[in-house]
């Protein structure tokens, strides 16, 4: 069978949108007809070469769709079910999953661009194409692991649901799961794009006190206020670390870095109080190294990070969709643009220009 | 009144043991007749200049003794009470103390070499001497803050009790309070001297599984085995990070760095599994900067540190003494040497030579 897919053949070159062949799902695999996939910086890092990846690859890892067919042994979903993609499949049986850390599942020890048997389900002219993060959501259909789909309620539009498959949970999860921000705590969020806005609205949701948004883009700071920031700092105009220490009298309880630059990670850490915590969400270019003063750690600051929300993706995704349906969590307001797959390269131009919260590619 | 004290007048020069004048305790201050003070690397850092400090200073911060006199308003101790020093006084009323983080008490925002009013209680030839960490335990008597003494039971010999005032709690606290190591977890301890041996025996006490001791000194690795290590790694002979990954199949759950070198902190962090935690206990020379790969953090590893056990010094010190008296915690075995104050410089030579677990200066 065939799909239309956006394929990266060479870094720093546009994606090629073309027909590709899709093989049948094998044991514990699922064929999904994707309805939408969000436009995320992680794909951009592969496109620019900042994060090296085997090529060619079908990108996209923030998808939602409808199960079309299941392979042998699949029991958790059936054709017609609505699903979000999980770019970190979780097996439920490894030391990490059993320990309540399914975002660290042992599946990650295998190559994350193939099925578990080490082969691809895409072909172009007989040549295999890699599956980005075992999702490959920039295709009208792809084969994914049964462990890599999350069943969701059917009353959420799929072009909204797809956002929860990465950006929403990646941004909200660190607040809810990693920091477990308590009521009244002070929070700083570095980076107010399509992921950071979710850290901000999660902080609002859990009742944080001061919610300080930091960015260099005036428009993003306005979005931050719409999503719940109580204070904004334009880091192109003033030193955010000094400003945060002044605002909080000694540093924030929790800082979230949602950019992926050495400088902003270090600033986030420096903006915490003694005993405070900085959580890295952004993906820095490969080879980045942080420069950290160990005395700040000995003063019981914590520096940590989050993969896909650092929680329990199979329950967190439905939970966030329930919050959305209950009117407690903004999804519609996250979307700036809906574009067809043919315009995927344009969507990344808009992302790089800082012009959008989140764009969604719809099929 | 007078005391015999060990005074540092110049870095890289021996301490001068001499008579000094001790002024009366003021409001909320306590005069203590010290019985013993342990020999710790933190004082050595000041003596070498690795950690700059105002001079002259009466060193010593790991002391135990008997209250001799109390200043106005002191109600929590009375003459005759046995006390341990707390080199991090805690007020009980600041945001940190109230939040259950008394080792971060707001007292730390003031100079830690004077009483709270910014003056000293020592004089030599009319000139004030600084109080190291508001303890100055290398003196037969000193004035300390009421918030800086911890009442203890009278049936523990003071030359043993003094060890809990720094090294014991500093080593055991990170295991118990910061990491809260659960039964069966895997643990690595980098540095098996007078502090690290306490991380090892705390790990044994809480029922850790693999307890991997790392040092470059064969004698220290033997001590580590006596204190509960299940595996030892001689880092002068093999790469401890690789060895730990092999032993644990992917890294330890918790690593404790009890040396204070950039290299060992980085090794401790690298030896953790995805989702693991490294806790820095050792004090690196001022100006040290760690080089950290942010991807290891995004994989949910945690890098943090501990001050004085990262717990609740006023209850943790008595708790550890109770464990000792119940036969569950080794204190006697920690002491290699007892020396008079006149031999304090020799005691630091022995420490630098790696010849001792802990020496204690007894008065």
């Amino acid at each position: 069978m065939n799909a239309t897919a956006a394929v990266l053949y060479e870094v720093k070159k546009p994606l090629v949108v073309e027909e590709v062949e899709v093989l049948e799902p094998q044991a514990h695999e699922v064929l999904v007809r994707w309805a939408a996939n969000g436009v995320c910086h992680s794909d951009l890092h592969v496109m620019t070469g900042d994060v090296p990846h085997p090529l060619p690859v079908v990108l996209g890892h923030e998808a939602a769709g409808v199960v079309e067919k299941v392979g042998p042994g699949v029991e958790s979903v059936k054709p017609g079910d609505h699903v979000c993609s999980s770019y970190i499949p979780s097996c439920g049986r490894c030391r990490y999953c059993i320990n309540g850390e399914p975002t660290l599942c042992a599946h990650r020890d295998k190559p994350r661009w193939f099925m578990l048997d080490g082969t691809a389900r895409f072909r172009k002219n007989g040549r295999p194409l890699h599956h980005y993060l075992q999702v490959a959501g920039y295709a009208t259909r792809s084969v994914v692991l049964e462990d890599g789909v999350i069943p969701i309620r059917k009353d959420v539009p799929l072009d909204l649901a797809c956002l929860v498959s990465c950006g929403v949970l990646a941004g909200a999860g660190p607040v809810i799961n990693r920091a477990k921000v308590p009521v009244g705590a002070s929070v700083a969020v570095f980076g107010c794009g399509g992921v950071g806005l979710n850290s901000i609205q999660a902080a609002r949701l859990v009742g944080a006190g001061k919610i300080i948004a930091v960015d260099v883009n005036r428009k993003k700071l306005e979005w931050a206020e719409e999503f719940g920031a109580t204070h904004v700092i334009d880091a192109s105009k003033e030193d955010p670390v000094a400003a945060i220490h002044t605002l909080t009298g000694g540093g924030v309880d929790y800082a979230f870095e949602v950019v992926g630059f050495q400088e902003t990670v270090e600033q986030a850490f420096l903006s915490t109080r003694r005993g405070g915590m900085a959580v890295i969400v952004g993906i820095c270019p490969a080879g980045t190294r942080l420069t950290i003063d160990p005395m700040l750690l000995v003063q019981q600051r914590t520096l940590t990070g989050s993969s896909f929300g650092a929680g329990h993706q199979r329950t967190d995704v439905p939970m966030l969709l329930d919050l959305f349906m209950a009117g407690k969590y903004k999804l519609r307001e996250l979307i700036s643009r809906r574009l067809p797959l043919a315009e995927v390269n344009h969507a990344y131009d808009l992302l790089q220009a800082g012009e959008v919260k989140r764009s969604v590619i719809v099929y």
Side-chain angles (χ1 to χ4, degrees), chain A residues 139-198:
Chain A
T140 49
R141 53 164 66 89
S142 73
V143 172
V144 296
L145 308 185
E146 179 180 11
D147 291 343
V149 291
I150 300 171
I152 59 168
R153 54 195 290 173
K154 288 189 174 177
D155 53 359
V156 181
L158 291 167
D159 61 345
L160 299 179
C162 76
L163 299 176
V164 185
S165 303
C166 172
V168 168
L169 181 51
V175 174
I176 299 166
N177 295 315
R178 194 76 181 135
K180 300 187 201 300
V181 171
V183 164
S186 56
V187 166
V189 177
F190 286 72
C192 305
V195 181
L197 291 174
N198 292 289

Side-chain angles (χ1 to χ4, degrees), chain A residues 19-347:
Chain A
E19 289 298 295
V20 301
E21 186 188 355
V22 180
L23 307 186
E24 291 292 316
Q26 300 300 306
H28 295 292
E29 296 173 3
V30 175
L31 177 73
V32 182
R33 174 112 201 152
W34 298 119
N37 189 105
V39 173
C40 177
H41 266 101
S42 296
D43 304 84
L44 184 62
H45 282 314
V46 177
M47 292 158 71
T48 60
D50 283 344
V51 174
H53 196 283
L55 303 177
V57 58
V58 178
L59 289 176
H61 67 284
E62 182 181 272
V66 180
V67 173
E68 204 166 59
K69 192 172 184 180
V70 300
V74 171
E75 296 184 347
S76 62
V77 290
K78 60 183 186 307
D81 284 354
H82 288 205
V83 293
C84 279
S85 61
S86 174
Y87 69 86
I88 302 181
S90 55
C91 72
R93 290 178 295 274
C94 71
R95 61 189 280 195
Y96 299 100
C97 286
I98 289 167
N99 198 36
E101 301 169 296
T103 60
L104 305 178
C105 175
H107 280 333
R108 294 179 64 161
D109 294 325
K110 295 191 172 184
R112 297 176 67 195
W113 40 76
F114 287 134
M115 300 295 104
L116 292 179
D117 65 2
T119 65
R121 299 290 169 269
F122 286 119
R123 293 287 184 279
K124 179 66 182 181
N125 300 329
R127 185 183 172 194
L129 307 173
H130 297 87
H131 301 235
Y132 185 50
L133 292 173
Q134 294 164 326
V135 176
Y138 288 144
T140 49
R141 53 164 66 89
S142 73
V143 172
V144 296
L145 308 185
E146 179 180 11
D147 291 343
V149 291
I150 300 171
I152 59 168
R153 54 195 290 173
K154 288 189 174 177
D155 53 359
V156 181
L158 291 167
D159 61 345
L160 299 179
C162 76
L163 299 176
V164 185
S165 303
C166 172
V168 168
L169 181 51
V175 174
I176 299 166
N177 295 315
R178 194 76 181 135
K180 300 187 201 300
V181 171
V183 164
S186 56
V187 166
V189 177
F190 286 72
C192 305
V195 181
L197 291 174
N198 292 289
S199 305
I200 290 168
Q201 72 167 320
R204 178 187 50 72
L205 192 64
V206 301
K210 287 182 176 138
I211 303 173
I212 305 168
V214 183
D215 210 299
V216 293
N217 179 319
R218 190 63 233 168
K219 191 183 288 180
K220 290 187 177 178
L221 291 173
E222 285 168 18
W223 298 337
E225 288 182 314
E226 289 165 23
F227 278 75
T230 60
H231 301 72
V232 299
I233 296 171
D234 184 339
S236 72
K237 301 229 167 81
E238 60 180 323
D239 171 18
V241 175
I244 288 169
H245 277 263
T246 301
L247 269 173
T248 54
V252 281
D253 298 315
Y254 301 95
F256 299 91
E257 200 278 350
V258 200
V259 184
F261 288 153
Q262 180 189 345
E263 183 185 15
T264 44
V265 172
E266 291 170 4
Q267 286 173 335
F269 184 56
L270 289 167
S271 73
T272 58
R273 66 164 174 88
R274 282 200 296 277
M277 174 185 280
V279 185
I280 309 178
V281 180
I283 304 294
C284 293
T288 300
R289 294 294 179 271
L290 309 173
T291 300
I292 301 293
D293 178 354
M295 269 315 291
L296 299 177
L297 292 162
V298 171
Q299 290 170 350
Q300 294 176 205
R301 286 177 184 80
T302 294
L303 181 59
T304 187
S306 168
S307 280
F308 199 12
H312 320 88
Q313 60 273 47
R314 301 188 76 85
T315 49
D316 285 350
V317 165
M319 180 266 290
L320 285 162
L321 293 175
D322 286 347
L323 286 170
F324 162 68
M325 293 300 283
K328 296 184 178 176
Y329 200 94
K330 297 182 190 203
L331 289 185
R332 275 183 212 290
E333 295 82 350
L334 279 170
I335 298 181
S336 297
R337 297 270 203 134
R338 287 177 177 77
L339 301 129
L341 186 56
E343 293 181 34
V344 65
N345 291 300
H346 177 54

